Amino acid sequence: MGKLAKWQILLSEFDIIYVTEKAVKGQALTYHLAENPVGREYKPLKMYFPDEEVSFIGEDIIETYDGWRMFFDGAVNLKGVGIGAVLVSEISQHYPVSAKLSFPCTNNMAEYEACILGLRLAIDVQELLVVGDSDLLIHQVLGEWSTKNTKILPYLHYVQELMKRFTKIELKHVLRIQNEFANALGTLSSMIQHPDKNFIDPIPIGIQNHPAYCAHVEDETDGNPCFQDIKEYLSKREYP
């Protein structure tokens, strides 16, 4: 993937549209730099978007927090818009929930929808850690970043109202690789073609430690139990 494509993907979360700059002659830039020398107080610009593969140090949010946690994520693609949230109890019991949005919305709107879905699920919990990979949402909810976007402001106010119903609530930003469960739920919901007149039961997710054929046991043709040959050997010391 080229650098421009990567920047476009990263900037899409912030509703920023990338436009290619018009060609500028290199000599004009040289004249500009010569006429505006850099002073001693100059500090290099700190890039906001780090290289995720380099900065990731493998922090596991499950091991660093013992209370209730809520993970959320939204997914917007050509198939549609889906949101997912996972509530994790103190004993690591997972309660997943997801929904498909039938109205058009941006990536940031989907993130807020997913966060609200998770907060509603955890409304009876006293203390909660909210975890998501949307840096923009978390900074806006904490009041560190402001917004004038008329589509985001109602979401922001509603999330802040929901947060008041908890005794203690914290927000933490993580990389997408640490938010895989909620991300998978949101992506699945966005891609599924929901039947309008039918109800979809919750999707159970199990873990199989062995291939399916390992648990396959055929019925004995002679009517005896499967351990009959072993029993005969132990009693008569003779192979069947």
Side-chain angles (χ1 to χ4, degrees):
M1 182 184 294
K3 291 183 178 179
L4 292 180
K6 184 175 181 180
W7 277 96
Q8 284 181 314
I9 293 173
L10 293 172
L11 291 174
S12 64
E13 182 181 355
F14 300 89
D15 290 334
I16 299 175
I17 300 175
Y18 173 79
V19 179
T20 305
E21 184 63 53
K22 295 181 179 180
V24 180
K25 290 185 178 181
Q27 192 64 34
L29 295 176
T30 305
Y31 291 150
H32 175 76
L33 293 175
E35 294 176 0
N36 299 274
V38 177
R40 294 183 179 180
E41 297 181 357
Y42 170 77
K43 295 181 180 180
L45 178 64
K46 210 171 190 180
M47 302 305 293
Y48 177 72
F49 302 99
D51 192 325
E52 293 186 356
E53 291 81 7
V54 175
S55 64
F56 176 60
I57 58 175
E59 179 187 5
D60 192 347
I61 189 65
I62 296 179
E63 295 181 358
T64 57
Y65 194 83
D66 298 328
W68 285 80
R69 305 174 298 280
M70 189 275 285
F71 296 79
F72 70 93
D73 198 11
V76 180
N77 51 51
L78 296 177
K79 293 287 186 178
V81 182
I83 56 176
V86 183
L87 183 62
V88 185
S89 69
E90 298 172 339
I91 59 174
S92 296
Q93 177 69 36
H94 288 58
Y95 302 95
V97 61
S98 62
K100 184 179 179 70
L101 306 183
S102 59
F103 54 90
C105 63
T106 64
N107 289 332
N108 293 330
M109 291 171 63
E111 293 286 350
Y112 271 99
E113 288 280 355
C115 182
I116 292 171
L117 181 69
L119 290 176
R120 286 175 173 174
L121 181 65
I123 203 65
D124 293 329
V125 177
Q126 297 298 319
E127 298 183 2
L128 181 69
L129 173 65
V130 179
V131 185
D133 54 46
S134 175
D135 205 11
L136 179 69
L137 181 149
I138 292 175
H139 281 290
Q140 287 178 344
V141 172
L142 292 176
E144 298 172 352
W145 293 355
S146 61
T147 179
K148 296 181 180 179
N149 192 330
T150 55
K151 295 181 179 179
I152 298 299
L153 280 174
Y155 282 113
L156 176 59
H157 296 156
Y158 185 57
V159 169
Q160 291 174 339
E161 286 297 322
L162 285 175
M163 290 175 58
K164 295 178 181 178
R165 302 181 63 175
F166 295 88
T167 304
K168 178 182 179 183
I169 187 169
E170 299 178 26
L171 286 87
K172 182 177 179 63
H173 172 260
V174 295
L175 300 179
R176 184 166 296 178
I177 194 175
Q178 297 172 275
N179 197 26
E180 291 181 338
F181 199 167
N183 180 265
L185 289 173
T187 303
L188 177 62
S189 299
S190 68
M191 299 179 66
I192 228 171
Q193 297 300 320
H194 191 286
D196 296 332
K197 298 182 180 179
N198 297 329
F199 178 76
I200 299 179
D201 288 326
I203 301 175
I205 301 176
I207 298 177
Q208 293 187 179
N209 297 321
H210 304 286
Y213 59 78
C214 291
H216 179 66
V217 179
E218 295 182 352
D219 294 333
E220 294 290 337
T221 56
D222 56 4
N224 293 323
C226 61
F227 57 84
Q228 181 65 27
D229 293 337
I230 301 175
K231 182 180 179 181
E232 289 290 329
Y233 172 76
L234 294 175
S235 61
K236 299 178 181 179
R237 293 295 174 178
E238 295 180 358
Y239 289 103

